[in-house]
């Protein structure tokens, strides 16, 4: 029933029935309060509705329950749990906590932290810290044995991000920097 209530909330949210989505998410929380994804969904809707007090509460619940999952490692996929915690922090605008969490995932799960590497590279690029972003991109390329020239492909990764964010001059510069 919890899963169905959460899914109903997502459907209602997608079709812009936000009040009904809130009702479904709240029903899901009544059935099972320890679902970080439901609390995160409530956070997003409350922010859209500019109900910041409730958004802050929902965010705090999402963080608390995701932190509890990290501590108990009950998901069986500890790295994914850490990455999700970083994502919740990032979505809530707490970039420092997100970076700290992604870095923790990379330290504790070096072979499985590919998503945290991606997220951290994007944060660094958004902050203008290209050197750190390049380090993360290089680590991403090393994770896949099919990559032939990891350094060149790391520069290509940065270029793609810049192009996606309409920063063509930076994208071109990264393409030129890619060793062949």
């Amino acid at each position: 029933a919890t899963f169905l209530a959460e899914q109903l909330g997502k459907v209602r949210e997608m079709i812009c029935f936000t009040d009904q989505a809130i009702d479904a998410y709240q029903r899901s929380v009544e059935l099972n309060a320890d679902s970080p994804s439901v609390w995160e969904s409530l956070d997003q809707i409350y922010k859209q509705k500019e109900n910041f007090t409730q958004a802050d509460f929902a965010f705090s619940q999402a963080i608390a329950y995701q932190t509890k999952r990290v501590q108990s490692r009950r998901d069986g996929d500890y790295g994914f749990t850490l990455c999700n915690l970083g994502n919740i922090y990032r979505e809530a605008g707490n970039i420092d906590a997100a970076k700290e969490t992604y870095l923790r995932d990379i330290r504790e799960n070096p072979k499985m932290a590919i998503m945290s590497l991606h997220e951290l590279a994007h944060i660094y690029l958004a902050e203008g810290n290209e050197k750190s972003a390049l380090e993360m991109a290089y680590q991403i390329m090393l994770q896949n044995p099919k990559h032939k020239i990891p350094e060149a492909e790391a520069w290509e990764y940065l270029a793609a991000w810049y192009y996606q964010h309409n920063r063509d001059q930076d994208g071109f510069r990264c393409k030129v920097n890619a060793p062949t």
Side-chain angles (χ1 to χ4, degrees):
T2 303
F3 176 76
L4 292 175
E6 180 179 0
Q7 295 308 306
L8 180 60
K10 288 180 182 187
V11 169
R12 288 177 172 171
E13 186 177 357
M14 286 174 35
I15 58 175
C16 299
F17 288 8
T18 54
D19 290 335
Q20 293 87 347
I22 289 171
D23 290 342
Y25 288 136
Q26 287 176 336
R27 178 68 179 139
S28 180
V29 165
E30 288 170 11
L31 296 168
N32 182 13
D34 71 346
S35 176
S37 63
V38 174
W39 287 109
E40 189 175 7
S41 295
L42 281 168
D43 169 56
Q44 295 302 312
I45 291 176
Y46 287 138
K47 280 183 191 171
Q48 290 170 4
K49 294 177 76 71
E50 297 184 1
N51 189 336
F52 299 112
T53 301
Q54 286 184 295
D56 288 344
F57 177 75
F59 165 70
S60 71
Q61 295 301 302
I63 291 294
Y65 287 117
Q66 191 65 27
T67 300
K68 189 175 176 180
R69 285 186 176 186
V70 167
Q71 291 168 343
S72 71
R73 300 180 187 196
R74 75 176 186 205
D75 281 351
D77 189 354
Y78 181 59
F80 188 67
T81 305
L82 270 172
C83 186
N84 280 345
L85 180 58
N87 292 344
I88 294 170
Y89 278 125
R90 189 193 71 238
E91 288 296 320
N94 191 339
I95 302 302
D96 290 337
K99 287 193 296 190
E100 184 178 310
T101 304
Y102 294 136
L103 287 168
R104 177 180 170 194
D105 186 23
I106 293 164
R107 272 191 319 275
E108 294 180 13
N109 308 291
K111 300 277 189 225
M112 302 300 290
I114 191 88
M115 291 309 299
S116 287
L117 288 165
H118 281 285
E119 297 298 339
L120 202 48
H122 292 186
I123 288 172
Y124 286 144
L125 284 167
E127 292 177 339
N129 185 347
E130 190 174 280
K131 181 181 178 195
S132 293
L134 182 62
E135 290 173 23
M136 296 300 112
Y138 184 74
Q139 292 303 312
I140 292 167
M141 299 311 142
L142 290 177
Q143 295 269 336
N144 186 341
K146 293 181 181 179
H147 293 288
K148 303 292 183 214
I149 308 171
E151 185 178 353
E153 293 171 9
W155 280 107
E156 294 278 339
Y157 180 96
L158 269 58
W161 187 91
Y162 282 130
Y163 286 131
Q164 184 180 12
H165 290 84
N166 299 317
R167 294 178 55 186
D168 294 348
Q169 189 173 9
D170 288 322
F172 178 75
R173 180 181 47 75
C174 287
K175 285 266 196 195
V176 171
N177 280 342
T180 53

